[in-house]
Amino acid sequence: MASFQAIYGTAPAVSATAPGRVNLLGEHTDYNQGYVLPTAIPQRTRVELARSPDGRFAYYSANLDARIDHVDGRALPVDFARYLHGCVEVLREDGHAVPPLRVRVESDVPIGAGLSSSAALEVATLRAIRELLSLPVDDVQLALLAQRAEVKYAGVRCGVLDQMASSLCDREHMLFLDTLTLERRVLPLPRDAELIVLDSGMPRDLADSAYNTRRAECEAAAQHLGVPSLRHVADPARTRDLPRPLDRRARHVVTENNRVLEAVTADAARFGQLMNDSHASLRDDYEVSVPALDALVGALQAQPGVLGARLTGAGFGGACVALARRGTADAARPAALAIYARGGWSGRVLV
Ligand code: GLA
């Protein structure tokens, strides 16, 4: 991995980092204006940058050992540079004069595991530019800029969960966020418990198309119910008369929002139960699980000390998260992976 100095011949002017995230509860709720409950993972993305002396943008990925150059007025850069240059463009749209930059990025946030590697990239980039130019942008505004970069320049119709989590979360707390009002509370993680995150090793091939279908189904359900979004429905019984499959899609969103609200004050045992319920709802009502994720979640749930487990992220592959009694996670991780391996799959420990 070449250093900034080795690639560009000078030291970087600034550097910044941002973490990946794992969502503990509140899946597929953010684009329904609902509630989410993420925390940061230890893996982070680091961005170093400096003003460019030659009028060209240069983006270097240490992970890919690839460099993409760009000149204003030409076609926008592709691949990993879309996320980086998207951050420049959204700042410019908001009236900030961003000069050409030389950028180096390096990350240990796993890509494609549902842990928001792209949000970590955007948030770290925006933090570094904010520092270089002393921009008056707070952490919430920064997350919203990052989300806009993802939607507009990376072409992913995501909600605001990932970028808010990367911008506002640390590892000692969970973030309760109301995605409608952006009201938020930083809360301690459940007491006497620890987190496990395992990668299922399954690529999220179907995730994009299914994600957009689910979004459309939720919008249709809200329209049937005469509400601006499913966030405005609290009683799951109201979803019963919707046409299929909108009834089950809406029931997931409504019950998931209720689970987040309950989890805020729940003890670790109840929190774990809510995670188990969330997985069942994502599997049966929302239909975004796959056999490998069900197997990995089942293997986790079977471990002594594990209080609850679920798929995390958009689904169709990626990671699972579990809550375990303090002191039991070290034994639970390899034991769950061994059971999972008997199904012919190969997972790995992420947290
Ligand atoms: C992806 C999206 C988020 C959120 C989750 C599902 O991670 O980027 O905005 O919708 O899926 O909860």
Side-chain angles (χ1 to χ4, degrees):
M1 283 195 193
S3 67
F4 193 99
Q5 179 81 40
I7 308 153
Y8 298 122
T10 57
V14 295
S15 76
T17 71
R21 66 98 187 95
V22 61
N23 195 20
L24 303 179
L25 273 173
E27 217 65 84
H28 291 280
T29 50
D30 65 346
Y31 53 83
N32 291 294
Q33 302 188 315
Y35 310 104
V36 293
L37 204 55
T39 187
I41 57 171
Q43 291 86 347
R44 300 182 78 87
T45 296
R46 167 181 295 275
V47 169
E48 301 167 296
L49 54 82
R51 288 170 194 269
S52 167
D54 60 11
R56 303 169 74 84
F57 284 88
Y59 295 111
Y60 175 78
S61 160
N63 295 68
L64 303 172
D65 190 23
R67 175 172 163 171
I68 294 178
D69 286 9
H70 173 69
V71 178
D72 278 328
R74 303 262 175 84
L76 290 172
V78 294
D79 296 335
F80 71 95
R82 277 182 306 164
Y83 300 91
L84 300 161
H85 195 71
C87 293
V88 171
E89 291 298 333
V90 291
L91 284 169
R92 287 173 164 176
E93 287 165 15
D94 279 10
H96 303 293
V98 183
L101 301 169
R102 285 175 162 177
V103 184
R104 176 188 187 274
V105 47
E106 178 177 352
S107 182
D108 62 0
V109 182
I111 293 172
L115 300 174
S116 296
S117 57
S118 58
L121 187 54
E122 292 144 4
V123 170
T125 302
L126 286 164
R127 281 180 174 167
I129 300 175
R130 174 172 70 180
E131 189 180 334
L132 181 79
L133 304 176
S134 303
L135 299 179
V137 173
D138 69 25
D139 290 344
V140 171
Q141 292 168 330
L142 189 138
L144 295 173
L145 285 161
Q147 184 205 15
R148 184 140 53 94
E150 175 110 17
V151 172
K152 224 170 145 176
Y153 294 95
V156 181
R157 246 187 114 211
C158 63
V160 80
L161 160 66
D162 305 343
Q163 290 78 16
M164 284 291 236
S166 184
S167 185
L168 301 176
C169 282
D170 62 35
R171 290 186 58 205
E172 284 73 46
H173 299 89
M174 54 189 185
L175 174 75
F176 168 79
L177 174 70
D178 178 337
T179 66
L180 175 61
T181 63
L182 297 188
E183 182 212 329
R184 60 204 172 273
R185 265 178 283 160
V186 174
L187 303 165
L189 288 164
R191 276 179 56 151
D192 300 322
E194 49 189 339
L195 290 177
I196 299 173
V197 181
L198 302 180
D199 184 5
S200 71
M202 294 293 288
R204 296 183 307 150
D205 288 341
L206 281 168
D208 289 352
S209 62
Y211 190 83
N212 290 333
T213 310
R214 293 295 178 276
R215 278 190 81 133
E217 288 168 343
C218 289
E219 283 159 22
Q223 211 176 0
H224 273 278
L225 294 170
V227 289
S229 68
L230 290 176
R231 148 13 176 310
H232 299 277
V233 180
D235 181 359
R238 281 189 66 193
T239 63
R240 225 181 273 147
D241 297 329
L242 286 167
R244 296 183 67 184
L246 305 189
D247 53 350
R248 283 176 295 128
R249 306 292 188 254
R251 185 168 60 186
H252 165 72
V253 174
V254 172
T255 58
E256 185 79 352
N257 277 327
N258 290 343
R259 281 187 283 274
V260 176
L261 293 175
E262 187 185 340
V264 165
T265 53
D267 63 13
R270 179 65 189 146
F271 197 108
Q273 184 59 49
L274 292 166
M275 292 172 81
N276 289 340
D277 294 348
S278 171
H279 185 76
S281 178
L282 288 160
R283 181 191 60 211
D284 302 335
D285 279 350
Y286 218 61
E287 296 183 284
V288 292
S289 192
V290 289
L293 290 175
D294 292 339
L296 188 53
V297 165
L300 281 162
Q301 288 168 341
Q303 297 312 309
V306 169
L307 301 165
R310 56 184 288 273
L311 71 83
T312 185
F316 293 98
C320 296
V321 60
L323 191 72
R325 281 210 191 286
R326 184 164 300 290
T328 65
D330 281 349
R333 290 184 187 97
L337 285 176
I339 295 176
Y340 182 62
R342 281 186 228 140
W345 294 293
S346 163
R348 63 180 171 137
V349 177
L350 296 174
V351 175

